[in-house]
Amino acid sequence: MLYAANVTDEELAGIEGPHLRALRASLAQSGEPAEVVPFSAKIEAELAELPAADRADFLASLGLESAGLNRVIQAGYHLLGLQTYFTAGEPEVRAWTIHRGDTAPAAAGVIHTDFERGFIRAETVSLTDFVANGGWKGARERGAVRSEGKEYVVHDGT
């Protein structure tokens, strides 16, 4: 279960009110897997009206790292056992959704079923190495690219 809890600004800042406390306590007693994502509908509405370039500053001024919608998406991915991996080439970077624990051939199959059937190997690089080396070309030149076979389990960010 995923609970999106519309809370006050004070609760969003970390001062939990009685309703949110009661919800968390009830979920803890049930033992069922659940995520609670506090958000403020008022703040989300204000955020939606801002230009994209101003949103990060607005969130930072409130002490928030991300918008409520982003936190709901992350919680949903967590509950469903999903993760994202990226493919990168000269013209574009694409994001693909896979299940945690998927092997490289299964991840390739998300792009196209023929890729899964004909999978031989994948060239991979961690996000950290990709950014630190200025992209795919730099990562390859500096030896940060790895060749992975059919048993490779795709990990988020690694």
Side-chain angles (χ1 to χ4, degrees):
M1 284 294 222
L2 175 62
Y3 294 87
N6 185 17
V7 298
T8 65
D9 294 358
E10 293 79 24
E11 287 178 297
L12 202 56
I15 304 168
E16 247 181 42
H19 299 297
L20 193 53
R21 262 196 311 276
L23 174 60
R24 290 189 194 277
S26 174
L27 293 173
Q29 282 183 336
S30 76
E32 294 293 321
E35 294 272 343
V36 177
V37 180
F39 76 100
S40 166
K42 178 182 141 214
I43 291 172
E44 294 298 313
E46 291 173 16
L47 192 61
E49 292 179 10
L50 290 174
D54 297 338
R55 292 177 186 163
D57 289 338
F58 177 70
L59 289 169
S61 74
L62 298 170
L64 300 173
E65 291 181 21
S66 62
L69 177 59
N70 292 348
R71 294 191 310 275
V72 168
I73 291 167
Q74 290 169 347
Y77 263 56
H78 180 257
L79 282 171
L80 295 171
L82 301 174
Q83 69 182 24
T84 301
Y85 84 98
F86 296 91
T87 56
E90 283 301 315
E92 66 185 3
V93 173
R94 288 194 174 217
W96 307 91
T97 301
I98 59 172
H99 291 91
R100 278 192 305 269
D102 275 355
T103 60
V110 171
I111 299 169
H112 196 286
T113 55
D114 287 347
F115 292 173
E116 183 173 7
R117 285 193 298 268
F119 185 89
I120 298 171
R121 66 182 174 90
E123 290 186 315
T124 66
V125 63
S126 71
L127 176 62
T128 303
D129 288 339
F130 186 85
V131 172
N133 292 297
W136 188 253
K137 183 178 177 187
R140 183 178 303 230
E141 288 170 355
R142 290 175 185 85
V145 175
R146 304 181 313 269
S147 182
E148 302 287 356
K150 292 181 180 184
E151 302 304 315
Y152 173 69
V153 176
V154 179
H155 299 281
D156 194 5
T158 59

